[in-house]
């Protein structure tokens, strides 16, 4: 039978081996148990295997970024001085990011309810996952990880025009909360809010996560879900099976999507001024009631997301 000290040593060694691996991190589980959403990044907990996963992910994306990513992203990667061999330290990322657009990465323990997420964007904060996928499962991502958030999203936040579009998107969430606060009938309130949240989620998906840009050098990627995926960043540009259309707001807000396979339908903008104008249009449509009955289907809207908006509207 092991002694108490030997057992403690074994437990410490096991934690060091696991590190901050997605779905296996004791630190994250404890934060969730204590309802701690906004946390610190315990950088010393990253294991050698965690850093190896980052190194492998970064190394294999470099050539694909050079070929398929938009120029603003490439400039952003350089501006952030990301270490290709070690998991990003958020304090270091913010040191380079904040002077450019006043945005910063904000570490979280897990899912951020919709209104809270959009409100963070409004305040130039990006909720950032701190765990990282396993090095032997680089293409399997059950939930966002730090590579997706920092190497996929954050380089785009160095661009002032893109950053401003995110802030405007955060404004839309406040507009939605204000609109539903004036609806007395509870059934009507929930129905309209569900539709508005679904429209906003679809817009975010087809732009911020999976958006394409029509440039002088051809079609390029600016969506973070594509920028952090080794397989899909090439597939979305090269495959004849992907439909690519100039973005139309009425199409996007009524188009359902599924998250567990490569996207068969994508939309492109002309530039980030175009994206900003689209967010303005989204808010106008919201005020005019044009988001109150969008087409049903994915994504689903959960009770936590609904409560986050309803609580903000009180």
């Amino acid at each position: 039978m092991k002694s108490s000290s030997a057992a403690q040593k074994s437990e410490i060694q096991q934690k060091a081996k696991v590190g901050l691996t997605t779905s296996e991190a004791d630190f994250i589980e404890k934060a969730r148990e204590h309802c701690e959403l906004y946390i610190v990044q315990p950088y010393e907990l990253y294991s050698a295997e965690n850093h190896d996963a980052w190194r492998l992910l970064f190394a294999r994306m470099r050539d694909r970024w050079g070929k398929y990513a938009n120029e603003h992203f490439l400039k952003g990667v350089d501006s952030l001085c990301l270490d290709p061999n070690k998991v990003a330290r958020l304090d270091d990322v913010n040191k380079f990011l904040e002077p450019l657009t006043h945005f910063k990465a904000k570490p979280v323990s897990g899912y951020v309810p919709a209104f809270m997420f959009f409100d963070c964007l409004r305040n130039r904060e990006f909720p950032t996952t701190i765990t990282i996928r396993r090095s032997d499962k680089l293409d399997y991502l059950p939930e966002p990880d730090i590579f997706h958030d920092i190497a996929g999203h954050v380089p785009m936040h160095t661009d002032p025009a893109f950053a401003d579009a995110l802030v405007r998107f955060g404004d839309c969430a406040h507009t939605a909360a204000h609109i539903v606060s004036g609806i007395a009938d509870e059934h009507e309130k929930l129905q309209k809010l569900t539709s508005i949240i679904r429209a906003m989620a679809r817009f975010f998906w087809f732009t911020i996560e999976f958006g394409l840009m029509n440039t002088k050098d051809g079609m390029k990627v600016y969506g973070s879900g594509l920028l952090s995926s080794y397989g899909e960043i090439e597939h979305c540009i090269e495959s004849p099976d992907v439909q690519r259309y100039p973005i139309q707001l009425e199409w996007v807000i009524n188009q359902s999507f599924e998250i567990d396979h490569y996207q068969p339908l994508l939309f492109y903008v002309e530039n980030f001024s175009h994206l900003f104008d689209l967010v303005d249009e989204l808010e106008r449509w919201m005020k005019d009631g044009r988001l109150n009955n969008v087409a049903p289907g994915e994504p689903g809207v959960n009770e936590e997301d609904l409560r986050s908006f309803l609580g903000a509207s009180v």
Side-chain angles (χ1 to χ4, degrees):
M1 184 174 181
K2 288 185 179 180
S3 68
S4 177
S5 60
Q8 289 176 347
K9 182 177 180 180
S10 176
E11 183 180 359
I12 291 171
Q13 289 174 337
Q14 182 61 30
K15 287 181 179 179
K17 181 181 179 182
V18 173
L20 290 173
T21 306
T22 301
S23 77
E24 300 176 14
D26 184 61
F27 175 87
I28 294 297
E29 291 305 314
K30 288 183 177 179
R32 290 175 178 173
E33 286 175 9
H34 292 88
C35 298
E36 297 172 357
L37 179 58
Y38 302 116
I39 57 175
V40 297
Q41 182 190 26
Y43 197 82
E44 70 283 356
L45 293 186
Y46 288 110
S47 65
E49 198 269 346
N50 291 156
H51 291 299
D52 194 46
W54 177 276
R55 179 185 61 79
L56 292 170
L57 288 163
F58 205 97
R60 72 178 191 164
M61 288 305 302
R62 273 184 155 168
D63 287 345
R64 299 216 164 179
W65 284 339
K67 187 172 183 180
Y68 300 115
N70 73 91
E71 61 179 342
H72 308 283
F73 174 85
L74 297 175
K75 183 179 178 182
V77 170
D78 289 341
S79 298
L80 294 175
C81 300
L82 297 176
D83 188 332
N85 298 310
K86 293 182 180 180
V87 175
R89 190 187 296 269
L90 300 191
D91 286 345
D92 292 340
V93 170
N94 290 335
K95 180 175 66 177
F96 293 106
L97 176 61
E98 287 192 80
L100 297 175
T101 60
H102 304 296
F103 253 88
K104 66 178 181 180
K106 184 173 185 174
V108 295
S109 63
Y111 180 74
V112 181
F115 182 85
M116 296 171 67
F117 179 84
F118 295 134
D119 190 53
C120 281
L121 298 183
R122 188 173 186 245
N123 292 304
R124 296 184 181 265
E125 297 174 330
F126 181 68
T128 303
T129 312
I130 64 168
T131 56
I132 188 165
R133 70 197 80 174
R134 289 172 49 167
S135 62
D136 62 346
K137 293 186 177 180
L138 298 183
D139 293 316
Y140 177 66
L141 195 61
E143 57 187 90
D145 74 341
I146 194 170
F147 186 80
H148 169 77
D149 283 349
I150 293 298
H153 277 281
V154 173
M156 296 304 310
H157 302 170
T158 65
D159 181 82
F162 184 86
D164 287 347
L166 287 182
V167 173
R168 282 292 292 120
F169 204 71
D171 290 339
C172 289
H174 279 259
T175 299
H178 177 71
I179 288 171
V180 299
S181 69
I183 302 174
D185 182 83
E186 286 300 313
H187 177 76
E188 180 186 0
K189 178 183 291 188
L190 289 176
Q191 182 273 317
K192 289 184 177 179
L193 179 57
T194 299
S195 181
I196 290 171
I197 294 174
R198 180 174 284 119
M200 292 182 67
R202 288 170 173 170
F203 184 93
F204 194 88
W205 179 267
F206 286 112
T207 57
I208 309 305
E209 289 286 358
F210 284 85
L212 301 178
M213 180 178 291
N214 187 27
T215 77
K216 65 182 188 309
D217 298 315
M219 201 65 67
K220 297 293 182 180
V221 173
Y222 77 89
S224 307
L226 300 171
L227 289 165
S228 59
S229 172
Y230 178 76
E232 194 161 11
I233 192 173
E234 178 181 55
H235 181 266
C236 75
I237 298 296
E238 303 289 356
S239 175
D241 296 327
V242 178
Q243 301 178 73
R244 308 168 191 87
Y245 292 108
I247 192 166
Q248 301 267 354
L249 188 56
E250 60 269 33
W251 293 359
V252 168
I253 63 173
N254 288 292
Q255 177 63 49
S256 63
F257 60 84
E258 297 175 344
I259 67 173
D260 59 353
H261 54 75
Y262 287 178
Q263 298 302 300
L265 172 65
L266 298 172
F267 299 97
Y268 59 85
V269 299
E270 296 300 323
N271 49 52
F272 292 140
S273 293
H274 182 197
L275 178 63
F276 188 96
D277 291 343
L278 284 165
V279 181
D280 273 348
E281 187 177 13
L282 181 74
E283 186 180 51
R284 288 196 301 273
W285 282 28
M286 187 185 299
K287 291 177 178 178
D288 292 342
R290 298 179 68 180
L291 305 186
N292 290 350
N293 291 287
V294 300
E298 293 297 325
V301 178
N302 61 45
E303 290 186 11
E304 196 172 5
D305 288 337
L306 288 168
R307 285 197 302 268
S308 70
F309 274 84
L310 293 172
S313 67
V314 173

